[in-house]
Structures are given as C-alpha cells and as structure tokens.
Amino acid sequence: MPYILLVAVVGILLLYVSDAIPLSSVGGPMVIALAVFVAALAVAIHEAWTKRRGVLGWIVNIISSFLGTFVAAQVGGMIMVMILSSFMDGSSLAASGGAVMAVSLAGAMAAAVLGSWGALAIVNRWR
C-alpha cells in the first residue's frame, strides 16, 4: 500500500512538471481530479484483491474508497492552502506555480490516498 502512495505522489508531480496540467483553464483541475480518483481506484482494487473480496466487497471497497478520497482531498487541499498561503505570490496556488504548486499537489494527493485508506479501514472494522 505505501507503494501506491509513492506512485500517486510521483505521478501527480510528473504530470505537473511535464505541463500536462494546464494552470489557466478548467482542464487543470479535471486532470488533478482524474489522477486522484485513479489513485483511489488503485487503493480500492488492491485492498479488494489482497483480501479476496467477493463482488459485493469490491463494490463496497470502490464506493467507500471514493467517498473517503473525496472528503480527504477537500480537507487536504484546504490544509495545503492554509499552510502555503504565506508563500503564494498571486491569488492562488496555480497562479504562483513553481515549487509551491508542486508541494500543494503532492500534499493533496497524499491526503487523498490516506483518506481512501482510512475509509477502507473503517469499513473493514464494520465487516
């Protein structure tokens, strides 16, 4: 599972460095959201595969992973903005760009993946 976190953070940073995330349009947030949800899907599939879940278990894993990711990504993004607001040059993290944006993306991705794991841990306690 830690490998998924590492690959997700490195992946989002590679997307940012390669300019695959447009910072001036609606496409940027959509690429970031797609990367976050792919990481959440990877966490859900890994947990379902290793625990040998049935069909209902796979469905519950995917839904709970997405819900945990959605909540954690919002909270993580808000925390990253609060932490990095003193380093912003413009009105947003995307406007300031550079290392500030990279740190923000990495932190938000880590929070989202950890939220996905947290949601799966809660569901596993109920099973």
Side-chain angles (χ1 to χ4, degrees):
M1 294 279 249
Y3 293 120
I4 296 173
L5 177 63
L6 180 65
V7 168
V9 169
V10 169
I12 196 77
L13 291 176
L14 284 176
L15 285 174
Y16 177 67
V17 170
S18 68
D19 289 332
I21 300 174
L23 299 178
S24 63
S25 68
V26 73
M30 290 182 70
V31 170
I32 295 168
L34 178 65
V36 167
F37 284 122
V38 165
L41 185 62
V43 170
I45 289 173
H46 177 269
E47 201 273 340
W49 184 272
T50 57
K51 302 286 186 186
R52 300 188 185 268
R53 305 278 184 220
V55 175
L56 184 60
W58 280 71
I59 293 169
V60 168
N61 271 9
I62 291 171
I63 290 172
S64 63
S65 177
F66 280 167
L67 289 175
T69 297
F70 180 73
V71 171
Q74 298 299 317
V75 172
M78 182 176 56
I79 290 171
M80 293 308 296
V81 168
M82 287 190 300
I83 291 172
L84 298 173
S85 64
S86 61
F87 300 108
M88 290 192 305
D89 293 333
S91 61
S92 68
L93 289 171
S96 55
V100 175
M101 180 69 174
V103 169
S104 173
L105 286 172
M109 178 63 84
V113 172
L114 292 174
S116 175
W117 282 336
L120 289 173
I122 290 170
V123 169
N124 285 336
R125 296 284 281 176
W126 286 345
R127 287 186 180 162

